[in-house]
Short mmCIF file of all heavy atoms in Angstrom, two decimals:
data_model
loop_
_atom_site.label_atom_id
_atom_site.label_comp_id
_atom_site.label_asym_id
_atom_site.label_seq_id
_atom_site.Cartn_x
_atom_site.Cartn_y
_atom_site.Cartn_z
N ILE A 1 -152.02 -76.20 70.78
CA ILE A 1 -150.60 -75.99 70.47
C ILE A 1 -150.10 -76.96 69.40
O ILE A 1 -149.39 -76.57 68.48
CB ILE A 1 -149.73 -76.10 71.75
CG1 ILE A 1 -150.03 -74.95 72.68
CG2 ILE A 1 -148.25 -76.15 71.40
CD1 ILE A 1 -149.71 -73.58 72.13
N GLU A 2 -150.49 -78.22 69.51
CA GLU A 2 -150.05 -79.21 68.51
C GLU A 2 -150.49 -78.80 67.11
O GLU A 2 -149.72 -78.89 66.15
CB GLU A 2 -150.62 -80.59 68.88
CG GLU A 2 -150.08 -81.72 68.03
CD GLU A 2 -148.62 -82.03 68.31
OE1 GLU A 2 -148.19 -81.86 69.47
OE2 GLU A 2 -147.90 -82.43 67.38
N ARG A 3 -151.71 -78.35 66.97
CA ARG A 3 -152.21 -77.92 65.65
C ARG A 3 -151.47 -76.66 65.17
O ARG A 3 -151.21 -76.51 63.99
CB ARG A 3 -153.70 -77.61 65.71
CG ARG A 3 -154.54 -78.84 65.81
CD ARG A 3 -156.00 -78.46 65.73
NE ARG A 3 -156.75 -79.41 66.55
CZ ARG A 3 -157.90 -79.16 67.11
NH1 ARG A 3 -158.47 -77.99 66.95
NH2 ARG A 3 -158.50 -80.06 67.82
N LEU A 4 -151.19 -75.74 66.11
CA LEU A 4 -150.53 -74.49 65.73
C LEU A 4 -149.12 -74.73 65.21
O LEU A 4 -148.63 -73.97 64.38
CB LEU A 4 -150.50 -73.53 66.92
CG LEU A 4 -151.86 -73.00 67.38
CD1 LEU A 4 -151.69 -72.18 68.65
CD2 LEU A 4 -152.52 -72.18 66.30
N GLU A 5 -148.45 -75.78 65.71
CA GLU A 5 -147.09 -76.07 65.26
C GLU A 5 -147.03 -76.43 63.78
O GLU A 5 -146.01 -76.24 63.14
CB GLU A 5 -146.50 -77.23 66.07
CG GLU A 5 -146.16 -76.86 67.49
CD GLU A 5 -145.60 -78.04 68.27
OE1 GLU A 5 -145.56 -79.17 67.73
OE2 GLU A 5 -145.21 -77.83 69.43
N HIS A 6 -148.13 -76.94 63.22
CA HIS A 6 -148.15 -77.38 61.83
C HIS A 6 -148.86 -76.40 60.90
O HIS A 6 -148.99 -76.67 59.71
CB HIS A 6 -148.81 -78.76 61.74
CG HIS A 6 -148.12 -79.79 62.59
ND1 HIS A 6 -146.85 -80.24 62.32
CD2 HIS A 6 -148.50 -80.41 63.73
CE1 HIS A 6 -146.48 -81.10 63.24
NE2 HIS A 6 -147.47 -81.23 64.12
N ALA A 7 -149.30 -75.27 61.41
CA ALA A 7 -150.00 -74.27 60.58
C ALA A 7 -148.96 -73.45 59.81
O ALA A 7 -148.19 -72.69 60.39
CB ALA A 7 -150.86 -73.37 61.45
N ARG A 8 -148.93 -73.61 58.47
CA ARG A 8 -147.92 -72.93 57.64
C ARG A 8 -148.03 -71.41 57.72
O ARG A 8 -147.02 -70.71 57.76
CB ARG A 8 -148.03 -73.38 56.20
CG ARG A 8 -147.61 -74.81 56.00
CD ARG A 8 -147.49 -75.11 54.50
NE ARG A 8 -147.17 -76.49 54.28
CZ ARG A 8 -145.95 -76.98 54.27
NH1 ARG A 8 -144.93 -76.20 54.49
NH2 ARG A 8 -145.74 -78.26 54.04
N ARG A 9 -149.24 -70.89 57.72
CA ARG A 9 -149.40 -69.43 57.79
C ARG A 9 -148.86 -68.88 59.10
O ARG A 9 -148.24 -67.83 59.14
CB ARG A 9 -150.87 -69.04 57.62
CG ARG A 9 -151.36 -69.21 56.23
CD ARG A 9 -152.77 -68.72 56.11
NE ARG A 9 -153.26 -68.95 54.75
CZ ARG A 9 -154.49 -68.83 54.40
NH1 ARG A 9 -155.41 -68.47 55.28
NH2 ARG A 9 -154.85 -69.03 53.15
N LEU A 10 -149.12 -69.59 60.17
CA LEU A 10 -148.62 -69.15 61.47
C LEU A 10 -147.10 -69.23 61.52
O LEU A 10 -146.45 -68.35 62.07
CB LEU A 10 -149.24 -70.00 62.59
CG LEU A 10 -148.86 -69.59 64.00
CD1 LEU A 10 -149.31 -68.15 64.28
CD2 LEU A 10 -149.47 -70.53 65.00
N GLN A 11 -146.51 -70.26 60.91
CA GLN A 11 -145.06 -70.38 60.88
C GLN A 11 -144.43 -69.20 60.15
O GLN A 11 -143.41 -68.67 60.57
CB GLN A 11 -144.65 -71.70 60.24
CG GLN A 11 -144.93 -72.89 61.12
CD GLN A 11 -144.62 -74.21 60.42
OE1 GLN A 11 -144.34 -74.24 59.23
NE2 GLN A 11 -144.67 -75.29 61.18
N ALA A 12 -145.05 -68.77 59.05
CA ALA A 12 -144.53 -67.62 58.31
C ALA A 12 -144.63 -66.35 59.16
O ALA A 12 -143.69 -65.54 59.20
CB ALA A 12 -145.29 -67.45 57.00
N ALA A 13 -145.73 -66.19 59.85
CA ALA A 13 -145.90 -65.01 60.71
C ALA A 13 -144.87 -65.02 61.84
O ALA A 13 -144.27 -63.98 62.16
CB ALA A 13 -147.31 -64.96 61.27
N LEU A 14 -144.66 -66.17 62.44
CA LEU A 14 -143.68 -66.26 63.52
C LEU A 14 -142.25 -66.04 63.03
O LEU A 14 -141.42 -65.53 63.77
CB LEU A 14 -143.81 -67.59 64.25
CG LEU A 14 -145.08 -67.75 65.10
CD1 LEU A 14 -145.14 -69.14 65.72
CD2 LEU A 14 -145.17 -66.67 66.16
N SER A 15 -141.97 -66.39 61.79
CA SER A 15 -140.65 -66.08 61.21
C SER A 15 -140.46 -64.57 61.12
O SER A 15 -139.37 -64.05 61.39
CB SER A 15 -140.51 -66.70 59.83
OG SER A 15 -140.50 -68.10 59.93
N GLY A 16 -141.52 -63.87 60.75
CA GLY A 16 -141.45 -62.40 60.73
C GLY A 16 -141.25 -61.83 62.11
O GLY A 16 -140.49 -60.87 62.30
N VAL A 17 -141.92 -62.41 63.10
CA VAL A 17 -141.76 -61.96 64.48
C VAL A 17 -140.32 -62.20 64.93
O VAL A 17 -139.71 -61.36 65.58
CB VAL A 17 -142.76 -62.68 65.41
CG1 VAL A 17 -142.43 -62.44 66.86
CG2 VAL A 17 -144.18 -62.21 65.11
N THR A 18 -139.77 -63.34 64.56
CA THR A 18 -138.38 -63.66 64.93
C THR A 18 -137.42 -62.62 64.35
O THR A 18 -136.50 -62.17 65.04
CB THR A 18 -138.00 -65.07 64.45
OG1 THR A 18 -138.89 -66.00 65.06
CG2 THR A 18 -136.57 -65.41 64.80
N ALA A 19 -137.64 -62.23 63.11
CA ALA A 19 -136.79 -61.21 62.50
C ALA A 19 -136.91 -59.88 63.25
O ALA A 19 -135.92 -59.18 63.48
CB ALA A 19 -137.15 -61.03 61.03
N ALA A 20 -138.13 -59.53 63.63
CA ALA A 20 -138.33 -58.29 64.38
C ALA A 20 -137.66 -58.35 65.75
O ALA A 20 -137.10 -57.36 66.22
CB ALA A 20 -139.82 -58.01 64.53
N VAL A 21 -137.68 -59.53 66.37
CA VAL A 21 -137.07 -59.69 67.68
C VAL A 21 -135.56 -59.45 67.60
O VAL A 21 -134.97 -58.85 68.50
CB VAL A 21 -137.40 -61.08 68.27
CG1 VAL A 21 -136.52 -61.41 69.46
CG2 VAL A 21 -138.86 -61.14 68.65
N VAL A 22 -134.94 -59.89 66.52
CA VAL A 22 -133.50 -59.64 66.34
C VAL A 22 -133.23 -58.14 66.34
O VAL A 22 -132.30 -57.66 66.99
CB VAL A 22 -132.98 -60.31 65.05
CG1 VAL A 22 -131.55 -59.87 64.75
CG2 VAL A 22 -133.05 -61.82 65.18
N GLY A 23 -134.07 -57.39 65.65
CA GLY A 23 -133.93 -55.93 65.64
C GLY A 23 -134.13 -55.32 67.01
O GLY A 23 -133.41 -54.40 67.41
N VAL A 24 -135.08 -55.81 67.76
CA VAL A 24 -135.35 -55.29 69.10
C VAL A 24 -134.17 -55.59 70.02
O VAL A 24 -133.77 -54.74 70.83
CB VAL A 24 -136.66 -55.88 69.65
CG1 VAL A 24 -136.85 -55.56 71.12
CG2 VAL A 24 -137.85 -55.36 68.84
N ILE A 25 -133.60 -56.79 69.91
CA ILE A 25 -132.44 -57.14 70.74
C ILE A 25 -131.24 -56.26 70.37
O ILE A 25 -130.50 -55.80 71.25
CB ILE A 25 -132.11 -58.63 70.61
CG1 ILE A 25 -133.23 -59.46 71.25
CG2 ILE A 25 -130.77 -58.97 71.24
CD1 ILE A 25 -133.13 -60.94 71.00
N ALA A 26 -131.07 -55.99 69.09
CA ALA A 26 -130.00 -55.07 68.67
C ALA A 26 -130.23 -53.68 69.25
O ALA A 26 -129.29 -53.02 69.70
CB ALA A 26 -129.92 -55.01 67.14
N ASN A 27 -131.49 -53.25 69.27
CA ASN A 27 -131.83 -51.95 69.86
C ASN A 27 -131.47 -51.91 71.34
O ASN A 27 -130.92 -50.93 71.83
CB ASN A 27 -133.32 -51.66 69.65
CG ASN A 27 -133.71 -50.30 70.19
OD1 ASN A 27 -132.99 -49.32 70.03
ND2 ASN A 27 -134.85 -50.24 70.83
N LEU A 28 -131.74 -52.99 72.07
CA LEU A 28 -131.39 -53.06 73.48
C LEU A 28 -129.88 -52.98 73.67
O LEU A 28 -129.39 -52.26 74.54
CB LEU A 28 -131.93 -54.34 74.11
CG LEU A 28 -131.56 -54.56 75.58
CD1 LEU A 28 -132.15 -53.48 76.46
CD2 LEU A 28 -132.01 -55.93 76.04
N GLY A 29 -129.14 -53.70 72.84
CA GLY A 29 -127.68 -53.65 72.92
C GLY A 29 -127.15 -52.25 72.67
O GLY A 29 -126.26 -51.78 73.39
N LEU A 30 -127.71 -51.57 71.69
CA LEU A 30 -127.28 -50.19 71.40
C LEU A 30 -127.64 -49.25 72.55
O LEU A 30 -126.86 -48.38 72.93
CB LEU A 30 -127.90 -49.70 70.09
CG LEU A 30 -127.31 -50.31 68.83
CD1 LEU A 30 -128.13 -49.89 67.61
CD2 LEU A 30 -125.86 -49.91 68.66
N TRP A 31 -128.86 -49.41 73.11
CA TRP A 31 -129.29 -48.55 74.21
C TRP A 31 -128.35 -48.75 75.41
O TRP A 31 -127.90 -47.79 76.03
CB TRP A 31 -130.73 -48.89 74.61
CG TRP A 31 -131.29 -47.96 75.63
CD1 TRP A 31 -132.01 -46.83 75.40
CD2 TRP A 31 -131.17 -48.05 77.06
NE1 TRP A 31 -132.34 -46.23 76.59
CE2 TRP A 31 -131.83 -46.96 77.62
CE3 TRP A 31 -130.56 -48.97 77.91
CZ2 TRP A 31 -131.91 -46.75 78.99
CZ3 TRP A 31 -130.63 -48.75 79.28
CH2 TRP A 31 -131.32 -47.65 79.80
N PHE A 32 -128.07 -50.01 75.71
CA PHE A 32 -127.20 -50.34 76.83
C PHE A 32 -125.81 -49.76 76.61
O PHE A 32 -125.23 -49.12 77.49
CB PHE A 32 -127.17 -51.85 77.00
CG PHE A 32 -126.77 -52.35 78.35
CD1 PHE A 32 -126.95 -51.60 79.49
CD2 PHE A 32 -126.22 -53.61 78.49
CE1 PHE A 32 -126.60 -52.07 80.74
CE2 PHE A 32 -125.85 -54.11 79.73
CZ PHE A 32 -126.04 -53.34 80.86
N ALA A 33 -125.24 -49.97 75.42
CA ALA A 33 -123.91 -49.45 75.10
C ALA A 33 -123.88 -47.92 75.18
O ALA A 33 -122.94 -47.33 75.72
CB ALA A 33 -123.47 -49.92 73.71
#
């Protein structure tokens, strides 16, 4: 885990995942509404 925290490529990939998660949460809000 310590090494993974400093891996630049992994940080970029996780930023993309974070953006996708925002979309998924918006989808849940719309489904619920």
